[in-house]
Amino acid sequence: IHAGIQDYLKILNDGGGIKGRKIKYVAEDTAYKVDASVAAFNKITGQEKVSLYYGDSTGFSKTINPELERRGSMIMAGASFATELNDPKKFPLQFMAGPDYTEMFGILLRYIAKEKPGARVAFVYSDSEFGRDPITPSEAVAKELKLSVVEKIVTPPGSVDVSTEVLKLRRANPDFTIFHGYVLAPIPEFVTQAKQMGMKSQFMGTFWTMDNSTVQRMGDAAEGFMGVMPYRYYYDKDGSSPMLEKIRQMRPEYQSTGYLQGFVTAMLMAEAVKRTLDAGKELTGANLKAGLNSIKDFDTGGLFGVPISIPGNSVPVGRIYRFDAKAKQMQPASDWIKL
Amino acid sequence: MVASPILEVSGVSLAFGGVRALSDVSFNVPEGAITAVIGPNGAGKTSLFNTISGFYRPQAGSIRFAGESLDGVRAPQRAARGLARTFQNIALFRGMTVLDNIKLGRHAHMRTGVLDALFYWGRAQKEELELRAEIEERIIDFLEIQHIRNASVGTLSYGLQKRVELARALAMRPRILMLDEPVAGMNREETEDMARFILDVKEEWGVTILMVEHDMGMVMDISDRVVVLNFGQVIASGTPREVQGNDAVIAAYLGSGDVGAIARRIKAEAA
Amino acid sequence: MRIGTLKTSYAADEALFDSSVQRTLLVLLALGAIAFPFVASPYWLFLACLCAINVASATGLNLLTGYTGLVSLGQAAFMSVGAYTVAVLEIRLGTPFFINLLVGAGFAAAIGVLVGIPSLKVKGLYLAIATIAASVILHFLFSHWSLTGESRGLSMPPARLFGLNLDQPFLLYWLIMPVTCLMVLGAANLLRTRIGRAFIAIRDRDISAEVLGIPLLRYKLTSFAISSFYAGLAGGLWAYFFRVVTPESFPLVNSIFYLAAIIVGGMGTILGGILGAVFMTLVPELLKFVANWATPFYPDALAALAPVRTIVFGGLIVGFLIFEPRGLAEIWRRLRRFFHLWPFRT
Amino acid sequence: MDALFLAEVTLAGLGAGALYALTGVAFVLIYKATRVVNLAIGEILMLGGYAFLGFAAGLGLSPWLALPLAIAAGGALGWLVERALIRPMLGESPISVFMVTIGLGSILTGVVQLGWGADPLRLPEFMPSAPVFIGEAYLAPKVAIGFVAAAVVIGLFLALFRFSRGGVALKATAADQGAAYSVGIDVPRVFSVAWILACATAAGAGVLVGAIGGISPTMGVFGLSVLVVVIIGGLDSIAGALVGGLLIGLVEALAGAFLGGEFKLVVTFALLLVLLMVRPYGLFGTHEIERL
Amino acid sequence: MAGPAVLDVNNVEVVYNRTVQVLRGLSLQVPQGEIVALLGSNGAGKSTLLKAVSNLLSLEDGDVTAGAIRFRGDDIAALTPHGLVRRGLFHVMEGRRIFEDLSVEENLTAATFALTGRKLPAADFDLVYSYFPRLHECRKGLAGYLSGGEQQMLAIGRALIARPSLILLDEPSLGLAPKLVEEIFAIIARINAEQKVSMLLVEQNAAVAFAVANYGYILEMGKVVIDGPVEKLMRDQDVREFYLGLGGAGAERSYRDIKHYKRRKRWLS
Ligand SMILES: Nc1ncnc2c1ncn2[C@@H]1O[C@H](COP(=O)(O)OP(=O)(O)OP(=O)(O)O)[C@@H](O)[C@H]1O
Ligand SMILES: Nc1ncnc2c1ncn2[C@@H]1O[C@H](COP(=O)(O)OP(=O)(O)OP(=O)(O)O)[C@@H](O)[C@H]1O
Ligand SMILES: [Mg+2]
Ligand SMILES: [Mg+2]
């Protein structure tokens, strides 16, 4: 993420910045601990006049929100796609550069409904805020789409042995199984054991699982694994994507989806600044956010496959990819789906 | 000479699993005198002390102290009523100074509650200062331990530690003082010092003393009454002189009293 | 150089700060603390408040573990009880903050007593694990109970004082710092009365303490109650400070953090709890400075920071235990002695 | 609830329990000899997994060579830890020593993260993958293999203590080092051997656990469940670790199957609390002799 | 003094925690096959000396800072504590130090480690049981539940298993009933006479120590103040008064007659 932000700002500043203003980037490590993050926030905002802030966890985003409103001088994005944050009323100065988790589920479910109407779906998620986030609203979405959610399996966070859960999954016998709230473990073991038992379910994941290298590390279980991704992959050469070209020039080796997230976030933030300045307004949080929300059918240089809009705090766009073990790459399995 | 009993032990039995530590033990401790409990190792002397202090609960029998039954009274309340003791294996608190160890003895007689303590200036302080004055003037002076009052107990020699234990027991406002082997591990000279303190506690403080001790020289010299335990049973009691002459006691406990003769015989046999 | 202090009354001998040098130092410290918010940046104020909260909690744990010898890995969980109570009261009832804090702390104390009940039979590390069990159960409760916002937790309004919203470190400082000072003073007072002596006696050898007139269960529970009262109060302050309470706010590693803090500071001394908590709170920040400073020479410094922090945290615990088991307080004591006797060496 | 499902869940639970038991035995070994509550056992286990990965994937060795090497690496770590951290702590209070192991766990986690990154990784496949059926009940092959391996190792340990005076040396050393020296026991050696054996066992268990669920720097939380296991079994009882391990494995599986995965940890810890109230020293733990 | 010395302590100084000096230039010898008694008041450093000899000081943060200790000619500084035991020097420590949660038999088994690496026949449990029949009766029971005297027997029994040539005995009579003291000392005398084991005996009970010993040392403040054959010591006025409690006329003084003032020892003035 760090590298993505850095690279975009380098491109931007090398090109003369925004209306002659260069963007200065200050980074701090926080180890995903809320108190460390808040400390960093205080430190950075104490030293610089900040307009754009990139935070890390959901917890931090929530914690800092009142302070953000109190200051009213900046907008913030973060690594979290938590559904809760996608609420312009409660979090007026925040946004995320992609769909929130519920929207990711929505995209997946829409795809499923199209492929196999009335399919049986199972949700497997970790017992954490991250894991629970989209579950309840997504059930409603599934119902709307006339899909039946046949099983919801919670696993303790950090658990490794999932034999019992696989047994449960087999009993439910879903056509599609969506994992959420994990990065890698215990997905591979789940898939492997399920395949050994002869299950035919299609397994799917959400953003943080879907990085190419992560899926690759699933080993045998990776083949055919599907999931939702709002950005194009680094190696995606379909269509025109001048930004991806640039990235490939700057960094010849594969860049993760996290990198892209950082990159896109920086890009959208810069765009918000540009629009605010264009409108001749002051760089306050509210103005920046308004600038951001004015983004409509904006071309991100092909990073998102389609032009995007930011109606609220998120960018509700994504595409289904499927892993091809031979090519060791994710291949598009659907069109871009806009919610 | 024998006054009314301050402590009455009647029919006390105590067992650990299959081990009968005490069976049907009965005896009285007369007020204002020194009573010694003697008996072979494992006879149940310490267990008897533990039962009296309320650390063990006997399966049968009852104990009366100063005319009141102690049944159902837990160890800390017994201490509060004036049952003070020292321990066979020194049980001083190594994390505290000598002074604090002694102060601790008064615990049950103090009133400071948590809130008093948190605010301190007021009731708590008054109580602490009164205690300090009394300990300094009555106990520390009496036992001649002024020089070590701020030492940490871990650094003291064994004999001094025993003396601090005695001081702590005296701070408990004892009506009866139970001493478990007060002179074990001491040489003749130190034993004499301790014997002197014990006699003074009895005479100057008027405290009844119940003690367990294996040093027959001292026991027979300073005690007024002796109770002999063997296998958890009382096998004899009476004045030192009576007990000393009791054949059962000699057989079970005292032995011939002449190690020298035995050693000479062994050496002769081996030669 | 100072030559022996002569005391003329028992009161003087029993005072907390027994020399005029110490008292002067204390006054200077207090003045410094009052002046601090006016000169420090929000960042340093933030850290000061965080340190104060951690000092409060660590002092509580020190009473329980350092003085009473009952090892607890539940301090963070007790804090969470205080924090949640405060948040719920603030959101649902909007009662004044000092009432919320006291109720929160009282509630934490009650839970602490509940957790402490096995301590009469369950000893040593068995007890430590039992406190982990309590934390796990509390965590489960908070993350599945609608009142506490399930896994999303609660966001709450700021504390208010005379119509003023205490929503910045500068204002909160005036709430957190005095409360912490009072708590530390209370702990120091407690320890020079019969209650403190009873705690130490229980730590050193509980069964003989009982025979000397100390009711074991009552004092063990008192210790648990006071310690979790402190935790609850600290947790309440924490809640007002961050204004978001989630189940992940008080993970098990935080309990370990507090234990580590009192070990590094020096177990069983009030000063140790303070020094340890401040030190352990500041070390990660210090590391960040080092990393920022090292970035030009070693570009990956920032990325390596997280693991290095973990290593340093562990290394500090291990290092102190092996090389200075009595902690920072002992180092401080030695320094003091050195200066008292200066220029003469002992 | 059909019987087959119940049977499968039970089998899966016992399989997981065997790994708990194995790690629990490693824990007990150290406790028995040195009275050290080793909270780093989870991290040592983790290191076993990473060592295996390092040998197999990093150096490209065959998994069957990497496995003994990983176990040996665990042993070496045990030796080092005992020498560098535990021996200087002789005579310190148990709290201090157990905090040292917490610190050690933190260090190991950081080191692994520094070396391999924070992301979870998978071990190369090296076990047969044909599913195992017991009757009609399915059992994941790796779980079955883990069970057998754990059973063999625990059996070996039990035999060792039954038929040699090693057990006496261990207990004697733990009880009183000075006295152990005075009867001619080579105390430092007992310490070393206990730590080496235990850490090697834990590392081996780490390879098994990692093979099933992948490895990550947070794998140390496995140690938390192991702690429950040994407390329930009794800190100093190998048989206790065995029984406790299987019990916890089973309880977790049943809780996961019938209540939901989020209940696993809570149910085991609640069980632990209840049990401690009834048996303060676990099922088979030695009672301290308390005399005045 | 007859026979070559099994143990030769020469001008030893011991310091605890690098600060507290306990032994100040102490020398003594234990001749082959004899019992040497070591007396002295509390804290004189008797146990410290024994720990220095058996190399166990380091466990308590103590150091021998000067002087040399030789066991059968070898400097013990070069040996490990268990190595010393395996060469035949056995220390029965103060406070018995039996393994409480092992059974009696396992306690004896633990002592068989003393035979490791020595070409000796298997451990002789029966010999121990013949000296201490009581131990045979409760050999399966936990040692922690034995009475004090039985624990002392077990501690000496462990020494017998190890077939030592020198036993260091630290206060074997501590806390024992008079009859047991008699029994233990009879057995000490027998072991010495029958097994030809030399002994260094630390005791507070001077009367019994003198009954079995051939030679005696008296220690004060970490130094030897008097030594000599037992017969000679028993005639010494101070020893009679301070260690044996005999009045001027030779009769035992009564504790009731002790005065409140302190008398001074001549050897300290
Ligand atoms: N907590 C206990 N559990 C089991 N048995 C015990 C316990 N305490 C004492 N005993 C047993 O009770 C008996 C009496 O022991 P006690 O300590 O009272 O003897 P004693 O007369 O004080 O001996 P000594 O003179 O050696 O101190 C012994 O057989 C002892 O093993
Ligand atoms: N581990 C230690 N650390 C510091 N000082 C010690 C230590 N052990 C003993 N001492 C001190 O050394 C001195 C001698 O102790 P030692 O145990 O050798 O005496 P002793 O002659 O055996 O006395 P006793 O008759 O009480 O057994 C004492 O003053 C004691 O306080
Ligand atoms: Mg006794
Ligand atoms: Mg001694």
Side-chain angles (χ1 to χ4, degrees), chain C residues 253-323:
Chain C
V253 288
N254 281 21
S255 293
I256 294 177
F257 170 89
Y258 291 116
L259 209 49
I262 58 173
I263 282 181
V264 167
M267 257 209 245
T269 60
I270 288 289
L271 183 66
I274 301 172
L275 293 179
V278 171
F279 182 74
M280 293 303 274
T281 312
L282 293 184
V283 162
E285 298 301 317
L286 194 74
L287 280 180
K288 254 193 267 183
F289 277 114
V290 172
N292 280 338
W293 172 82
T295 316
F297 315 106
Y298 177 60
D300 287 344
L302 219 52
L305 197 54
V308 167
R309 188 172 16 228
T310 324
I311 295 175
V312 168
F313 177 73
L316 279 175
I317 301 178
V318 172
F320 265 96
L321 281 170
I322 292 182
F323 298 110

